[in-house]
Amino acid sequence: AVIRDKQLEYPVWFDQEYNTATKNMTVKQRTDVVKSFCDELENAGYYTGLYCSRNWLTSYVDSTKLKAYDIWVAAYNKTPGKVPLPYGMWQYTWNAQINGITGRVDENISYKDYPTIIRNAGLNHLEPEPEPPVSKVITVEQLKQMGYTSIQL
């Protein structure tokens, strides 16, 4: 309900992490929760996926059951390391500083052009970009054949 009328250029991510709610769940239950969230949002016309750590994706959910969804992986190393699924975004730090923002912030790399993907698919309440007008060059000879006798530039 919160995002119902929002136009979003990036996916709606399900953030599943270590907390009281997930601590006592089984791998199957955690995986089912991700699938339920993503399926519901996709059925509502949103591009969605799972945000989690590489360790979470490897040990706390069944990644073989999540191949249909996009992944945004958090791994704070020089590379994401071995990730069991393809990922569209990588959060490489939670400890960055940006001028004008108090405190530390996350930094990420997006490997996909999500705005274009989402817009072209007509998801997240975005309309596809209109095709640019085709410019056609007509030669003077073609204009004469069309009946034009004088041309003023």
Side-chain angles (χ1 to χ4, degrees):
V2 172
I3 63 171
R4 182 175 296 135
D5 299 321
K6 306 286 187 222
Q7 293 181 312
L8 306 169
E9 290 189 329
Y10 272 76
V12 179
W13 298 101
F14 183 72
D15 181 354
Q16 195 174 59
E17 298 187 21
Y18 315 92
N19 61 36
T20 306
T22 60
K23 182 173 77 171
N24 295 322
M25 296 172 77
T26 66
V27 167
K28 182 183 181 324
Q29 288 171 324
R30 287 186 212 102
T31 304
D32 288 347
V33 168
V34 172
K35 289 174 66 175
S36 293
F37 175 89
C38 291
D39 288 348
E40 283 297 315
L41 275 145
E42 284 181 354
N43 290 337
Y46 293 95
Y47 190 114
T48 187
L50 172 63
Y51 165 82
C52 64
S53 71
R54 181 185 61 226
N55 182 51
W56 190 269
L57 194 57
T58 304
S59 304
Y60 290 85
V61 292
D62 182 352
S63 61
T64 66
K65 306 277 191 226
L66 302 175
K67 292 178 182 178
Y69 312 108
D70 215 316
I71 301 295
W72 175 9
V73 65
Y76 308 127
N77 302 305
K78 291 184 180 187
T79 70
K82 186 175 168 125
V83 180
L85 291 174
Y87 50 93
M89 287 181 63
W90 169 36
Q91 181 182 327
Y92 60 90
T93 186
W94 57 268
N95 197 26
Q97 279 191 288
I98 307 253
N99 288 339
I101 298 177
T102 303
R104 302 294 183 176
V105 297
D106 300 341
E107 284 190 335
N108 304 275
I109 296 173
S110 179
Y111 298 100
K112 295 182 178 182
D113 181 358
Y114 286 111
T116 299
I117 292 167
I118 290 168
R119 190 173 290 284
N120 288 344
L123 298 171
N124 297 10
H125 303 291
L126 295 177
E127 295 294 324
E129 291 286 343
E131 291 292 322
V134 176
S135 112
K136 184 174 180 182
V137 176
I138 300 175
T139 66
V140 171
E141 193 57 44
Q142 289 171 317
L143 288 170
K144 286 180 184 175
Q145 290 173 358
M146 293 167 64
Y148 291 95
T149 54
S150 72
I151 301 167
Q152 198 173 33
L153 300 176

Short mmCIF file of all heavy atoms in Angstrom, two decimals, residues 96-119:
data_model
loop_
_atom_site.label_atom_id
_atom_site.label_comp_id
_atom_site.label_asym_id
_atom_site.label_seq_id
_atom_site.Cartn_x
_atom_site.Cartn_y
_atom_site.Cartn_z
N ALA A 96 31.04 4.34 4.00
CA ALA A 96 31.49 5.45 3.15
C ALA A 96 31.04 6.78 3.75
O ALA A 96 30.11 6.84 4.55
CB ALA A 96 30.92 5.29 1.75
N GLN A 97 31.72 7.82 3.33
CA GLN A 97 31.33 9.18 3.72
C GLN A 97 31.00 9.96 2.47
O GLN A 97 31.70 9.88 1.47
CB GLN A 97 32.48 9.88 4.44
CG GLN A 97 32.58 9.50 5.90
CD GLN A 97 33.55 10.42 6.61
OE1 GLN A 97 34.75 10.31 6.41
NE2 GLN A 97 33.01 11.29 7.44
N ILE A 98 29.90 10.70 2.54
CA ILE A 98 29.47 11.54 1.42
C ILE A 98 29.28 12.95 1.98
O ILE A 98 28.61 13.13 3.00
CB ILE A 98 28.14 11.03 0.83
CG1 ILE A 98 28.24 9.57 0.47
CG2 ILE A 98 27.67 11.91 -0.30
CD1 ILE A 98 28.33 9.19 -0.94
N ASN A 99 29.86 13.92 1.30
CA ASN A 99 29.69 15.32 1.73
C ASN A 99 28.22 15.66 1.83
O ASN A 99 27.44 15.35 0.92
CB ASN A 99 30.40 16.26 0.75
CG ASN A 99 31.90 16.17 0.85
OD1 ASN A 99 32.44 15.74 1.87
ND2 ASN A 99 32.58 16.56 -0.21
N GLY A 100 27.83 16.29 2.91
CA GLY A 100 26.46 16.70 3.12
C GLY A 100 25.62 15.69 3.88
O GLY A 100 24.49 15.97 4.25
N ILE A 101 26.15 14.50 4.12
CA ILE A 101 25.42 13.47 4.87
C ILE A 101 26.18 13.20 6.16
O ILE A 101 27.37 12.91 6.15
CB ILE A 101 25.28 12.17 4.05
CG1 ILE A 101 24.46 12.43 2.79
CG2 ILE A 101 24.63 11.07 4.89
CD1 ILE A 101 24.32 11.23 1.88
N THR A 102 25.47 13.28 7.26
CA THR A 102 26.08 12.99 8.56
C THR A 102 26.06 11.49 8.78
O THR A 102 25.04 10.84 8.60
CB THR A 102 25.28 13.70 9.68
OG1 THR A 102 25.25 15.10 9.41
CG2 THR A 102 25.90 13.45 11.03
N GLY A 103 27.18 10.95 9.16
CA GLY A 103 27.29 9.51 9.42
C GLY A 103 27.76 8.75 8.20
O GLY A 103 27.99 9.31 7.14
N ARG A 104 27.89 7.47 8.38
CA ARG A 104 28.37 6.59 7.32
C ARG A 104 27.21 6.13 6.44
O ARG A 104 26.07 6.06 6.89
CB ARG A 104 29.06 5.36 7.93
CG ARG A 104 30.22 5.70 8.82
CD ARG A 104 31.32 6.34 8.02
NE ARG A 104 32.48 6.60 8.89
CZ ARG A 104 33.60 7.07 8.44
NH1 ARG A 104 33.76 7.35 7.17
NH2 ARG A 104 34.60 7.29 9.26
N VAL A 105 27.54 5.83 5.19
CA VAL A 105 26.51 5.39 4.24
C VAL A 105 27.01 4.16 3.47
O VAL A 105 28.21 3.90 3.41
CB VAL A 105 26.13 6.50 3.23
CG1 VAL A 105 25.51 7.69 3.94
CG2 VAL A 105 27.33 6.92 2.40
N ASP A 106 26.07 3.44 2.88
CA ASP A 106 26.40 2.32 2.01
C ASP A 106 26.81 2.85 0.64
O ASP A 106 26.34 3.90 0.21
CB ASP A 106 25.16 1.43 1.80
CG ASP A 106 24.63 0.85 3.08
OD1 ASP A 106 25.35 0.81 4.08
OD2 ASP A 106 23.46 0.42 3.08
N GLU A 107 27.66 2.09 -0.04
CA GLU A 107 27.95 2.37 -1.44
C GLU A 107 27.80 1.08 -2.22
O GLU A 107 28.12 -0.01 -1.72
CB GLU A 107 29.35 2.95 -1.62
CG GLU A 107 29.43 4.40 -1.21
CD GLU A 107 30.74 5.07 -1.60
OE1 GLU A 107 31.77 4.39 -1.76
OE2 GLU A 107 30.72 6.30 -1.73
N ASN A 108 27.29 1.22 -3.43
CA ASN A 108 26.92 0.07 -4.25
C ASN A 108 27.36 0.28 -5.69
O ASN A 108 27.55 1.41 -6.13
CB ASN A 108 25.40 -0.09 -4.25
CG ASN A 108 24.85 -0.22 -2.86
OD1 ASN A 108 24.82 -1.31 -2.31
ND2 ASN A 108 24.41 0.88 -2.27
N ILE A 109 27.44 -0.82 -6.41
CA ILE A 109 27.63 -0.79 -7.85
C ILE A 109 26.45 -1.52 -8.48
O ILE A 109 26.12 -2.64 -8.06
CB ILE A 109 28.95 -1.50 -8.26
CG1 ILE A 109 30.15 -0.76 -7.69
CG2 ILE A 109 29.04 -1.60 -9.78
CD1 ILE A 109 31.48 -1.47 -7.90
N SER A 110 25.83 -0.88 -9.45
CA SER A 110 24.76 -1.52 -10.19
C SER A 110 25.33 -1.99 -11.52
O SER A 110 25.93 -1.22 -12.25
CB SER A 110 23.60 -0.55 -10.43
OG SER A 110 22.59 -1.19 -11.17
N TYR A 111 25.13 -3.25 -11.82
CA TYR A 111 25.61 -3.83 -13.07
C TYR A 111 24.54 -3.85 -14.15
O TYR A 111 24.81 -4.26 -15.27
CB TYR A 111 26.11 -5.26 -12.82
CG TYR A 111 27.27 -5.29 -11.87
CD1 TYR A 111 27.08 -5.63 -10.54
CD2 TYR A 111 28.56 -4.97 -12.29
CE1 TYR A 111 28.15 -5.65 -9.64
CE2 TYR A 111 29.63 -4.98 -11.42
CZ TYR A 111 29.42 -5.33 -10.09
OH TYR A 111 30.47 -5.35 -9.22
N LYS A 112 23.35 -3.44 -13.80
CA LYS A 112 22.24 -3.42 -14.75
C LYS A 112 21.68 -2.01 -14.85
O LYS A 112 21.70 -1.25 -13.89
CB LYS A 112 21.12 -4.37 -14.29
CG LYS A 112 21.50 -5.82 -14.27
CD LYS A 112 20.32 -6.67 -13.86
CE LYS A 112 20.67 -8.15 -13.87
NZ LYS A 112 19.50 -8.97 -13.51
N ASP A 113 21.15 -1.70 -16.00
CA ASP A 113 20.47 -0.43 -16.21
C ASP A 113 19.01 -0.63 -15.80
O ASP A 113 18.12 -0.79 -16.62
CB ASP A 113 20.59 -0.01 -17.68
CG ASP A 113 19.93 1.32 -17.97
OD1 ASP A 113 19.33 1.93 -17.06
OD2 ASP A 113 20.00 1.75 -19.14
N TYR A 114 18.79 -0.65 -14.49
CA TYR A 114 17.45 -0.93 -13.98
C TYR A 114 16.39 0.05 -14.48
O TYR A 114 15.29 -0.38 -14.85
CB TYR A 114 17.44 -0.97 -12.45
CG TYR A 114 18.06 -2.22 -11.89
CD1 TYR A 114 19.26 -2.17 -11.21
CD2 TYR A 114 17.44 -3.46 -12.04
CE1 TYR A 114 19.84 -3.33 -10.68
CE2 TYR A 114 18.01 -4.61 -11.52
CZ TYR A 114 19.20 -4.54 -10.85
OH TYR A 114 19.77 -5.68 -10.35
N PRO A 115 16.66 1.36 -14.50
CA PRO A 115 15.61 2.25 -15.00
C PRO A 115 15.12 1.89 -16.41
O PRO A 115 13.92 1.88 -16.66
CB PRO A 115 16.28 3.63 -14.97
CG PRO A 115 17.30 3.52 -13.88
CD PRO A 115 17.83 2.11 -14.00
N THR A 116 16.04 1.55 -17.30
CA THR A 116 15.64 1.18 -18.66
C THR A 116 14.92 -0.16 -18.68
O THR A 116 13.89 -0.31 -19.35
CB THR A 116 16.87 1.15 -19.59
OG1 THR A 116 17.45 2.46 -19.62
CG2 THR A 116 16.50 0.73 -21.01
N ILE A 117 15.44 -1.14 -17.96
CA ILE A 117 14.81 -2.47 -17.90
C ILE A 117 13.38 -2.34 -17.39
O ILE A 117 12.44 -2.89 -17.97
CB ILE A 117 15.63 -3.42 -17.01
CG1 ILE A 117 16.98 -3.73 -17.66
CG2 ILE A 117 14.85 -4.71 -16.72
CD1 ILE A 117 17.98 -4.41 -16.72
N ILE A 118 13.22 -1.63 -16.29
CA ILE A 118 11.90 -1.50 -15.66
C ILE A 118 10.95 -0.71 -16.53
O ILE A 118 9.80 -1.08 -16.74
CB ILE A 118 12.06 -0.87 -14.25
CG1 ILE A 118 12.75 -1.89 -13.33
CG2 ILE A 118 10.72 -0.42 -13.69
CD1 ILE A 118 13.23 -1.32 -12.01
N ARG A 119 11.45 0.40 -17.07
CA ARG A 119 10.61 1.25 -17.93
C ARG A 119 10.16 0.47 -19.18
O ARG A 119 8.99 0.50 -19.54
CB ARG A 119 11.39 2.50 -18.32
CG ARG A 119 10.55 3.55 -19.00
CD ARG A 119 11.33 4.83 -19.21
NE ARG A 119 11.62 5.54 -17.98
CZ ARG A 119 10.76 6.27 -17.29
NH1 ARG A 119 9.52 6.37 -17.70
NH2 ARG A 119 11.12 6.90 -16.20
#
